[in-house]
Amino acid sequence: NFLGFGPSSTIEVDFGGAERRTVTIKGDGGSAETLPLFSGVETLAGQVRVTPPPGKKLEHTGVKIELLGQIELMFDRGNFYDFINLVHNLDAPGELSAAKVYPFEFSRVEMQYESYNGVNARLRYLLRVTVARSYSSNLVKDFKFWVRNVSEAPQINNSIKMEVGIEDCLHIEFEYQKSKYHLKDIVVGKIFFLLVRIKIKHMEIEIRRRESTGSGPNTYNESDTIAKYEIMDGAPVRGESIPVRLMLTPYDLTPTYRNISNKFSVKYYLNLVLVDEEERRYFKQQEITLYRRDL
């Protein structure tokens, strides 16, 4: 976490040594980024080191560290909504002629929301160190970290049973064993063909993610297909049963997020798609709930 300000002062933050868990996530611009990982209610403690330029003194009007939890929406890019804002003052006004280390501790911080990098919404956590100065601009540096939260398995997990029909042409039933899945789960189900009078070419199941931002009439939905899995190639006949078995592990999924701080939601759907020989598509969508069983 060594970051510099050109030839001037440098600031380092130690999040607590080599034993701290880390996670590699897709950062801005698509590049991989390795960040310290925290969860639930945790104490964030460590050290800040401020080092003046070699042979020079650093005059300042105070040093502080902030712990911030922020949500940014793309239609309001650059404006961050703070749902956590904690501040510790580390040093009174003075001057540094050599490196100085400041211990810090934010005790039992409740981080109820997970970090999230979406299409139109972003939720982030960071430590911000500010060295305030009178006669020149402040030295400010951000040190990001990532939050994931584990949920207990739901006590009630009903199966999903639905019918898809086109009058006198097609009638199918599909059944999934449950409606709530952990992120490393397997979707297991069956599809029954009760009436087939159109020529089905193939059938696939999709996992779709819908990200909603805003509220009321100003809600904006962004949907994308996370996974596409062919479960049948060729024409089914009446009475046929097709098994479904879709592993979730390979895909970049998050838990379902419902109305996070009244700013955004993320929901997941299983979408059954049938394509006939004339490339017409018939589909039926069903929401599922995803949760994180372990880190």
Side-chain angles (χ1 to χ4, degrees):
N1 287 353
F2 186 90
L3 293 166
F5 298 91
S8 60
S9 305
T10 58
I11 296 175
E12 301 166 80
V13 167
D14 179 3
F15 275 96
E19 69 277 2
R20 165 58 55 190
R21 292 186 304 252
T22 61
V23 62
T24 300
I25 56 108
K26 190 182 293 184
D28 297 336
S31 57
E33 195 174 10
T34 300
L35 299 175
L37 178 63
F38 293 84
S39 180
V41 178
E42 276 204 59
T43 294
L44 279 78
Q47 295 181 332
V48 174
R49 175 189 289 265
V50 180
T51 306
K56 294 184 180 180
K57 293 182 179 180
L58 171 61
E59 292 187 13
H60 65 85
T61 58
V63 180
K64 69 177 180 179
I65 185 169
E66 299 168 87
L67 192 159
L68 300 174
Q70 300 181 322
I71 294 173
E72 181 188 29
L73 302 178
M74 288 309 154
F75 65 76
D76 196 20
R77 191 157 195 173
N79 289 325
F80 291 93
Y81 163 75
D82 291 355
F83 58 89
I84 295 178
N85 190 333
L86 304 173
V87 185
H88 286 342
N89 292 312
L90 301 178
D91 205 351
E95 66 176 31
L96 301 180
S97 55
K100 187 169 182 179
V101 174
Y102 305 96
F104 70 87
E105 179 176 306
F106 293 96
S107 181
R108 293 190 57 77
V109 181
E110 183 181 356
M111 295 170 285
Q112 60 176 313
Y113 305 135
E114 289 202 344
S115 302
Y116 176 70
N117 275 341
V119 178
N120 292 310
R122 180 167 65 153
L123 190 150
R124 68 177 188 173
Y125 292 87
L126 56 93
L127 293 176
R128 175 173 292 163
V129 179
T130 302
V131 180
R133 299 192 291 182
S134 295
Y135 303 109
S136 52
S137 59
N138 293 346
L139 303 179
V140 182
K141 208 64 197 177
D142 293 346
F143 299 86
K144 292 185 285 186
F145 60 95
W146 202 255
V147 171
R148 286 179 175 168
N149 291 324
V150 173
S151 301
E152 292 184 8
Q155 291 183 332
I156 299 174
N157 198 346
N158 296 323
S159 63
I160 299 172
K161 293 182 180 180
M162 295 190 72
E163 295 186 10
V164 181
I166 303 169
E167 192 172 350
D168 297 329
C169 293
L170 179 70
H171 186 190
I172 64 175
E173 291 180 352
F174 62 90
E175 180 178 347
Y176 303 116
Q177 284 185 356
K178 52 190 179 180
S179 54
K180 300 170 184 175
Y181 300 87
H182 62 78
L183 299 183
K184 297 176 183 176
D185 219 334
I186 301 172
V187 177
V188 177
K190 278 187 176 181
I191 296 164
F192 305 95
F193 289 86
L194 305 178
L195 176 65
V196 185
R197 286 185 180 156
I198 54 177
K199 294 186 176 179
I200 302 294
K201 189 167 69 172
H202 69 266
M203 182 166 60
E204 59 196 23
I205 190 169
E206 299 174 337
I207 301 174
R208 294 184 62 81
R209 174 165 53 209
R210 181 189 295 166
E211 185 185 281
S212 302
T213 54
S215 60
N218 298 318
T219 301
Y220 181 76
N221 293 316
E222 180 80 35
S223 295
D224 56 338
T225 301
I226 305 298
K228 191 178 287 190
Y229 178 74
E230 188 170 84
I231 52 178
M232 186 194 73
D233 186 14
V237 295
R238 180 179 177 181
E240 192 168 359
S241 170
I242 304 291
V244 174
R245 187 176 175 85
L246 175 61
M247 299 180 71
L248 300 182
T249 305
Y251 304 111
D252 184 20
L253 302 170
T254 69
T256 297
Y257 301 138
R258 301 192 189 280
N259 200 22
I260 300 300
S261 203
N262 292 321
K263 297 295 181 183
F264 72 94
S265 299
V266 178
K267 297 180 180 180
Y268 289 90
Y269 298 84
L270 290 177
N271 193 29
L272 183 67
V273 183
L274 290 84
V275 182
D276 70 13
E277 290 187 341
E278 297 177 18
E279 295 298 327
R280 287 178 298 205
R281 295 167 68 85
Y282 310 89
F283 57 88
K284 189 75 172 183
Q285 192 165 268
Q286 173 65 36
E287 184 180 357
I288 57 172
T289 299
L290 300 184
Y291 64 95
R292 191 182 302 281
R293 188 181 63 178
D294 48 50
L295 294 175

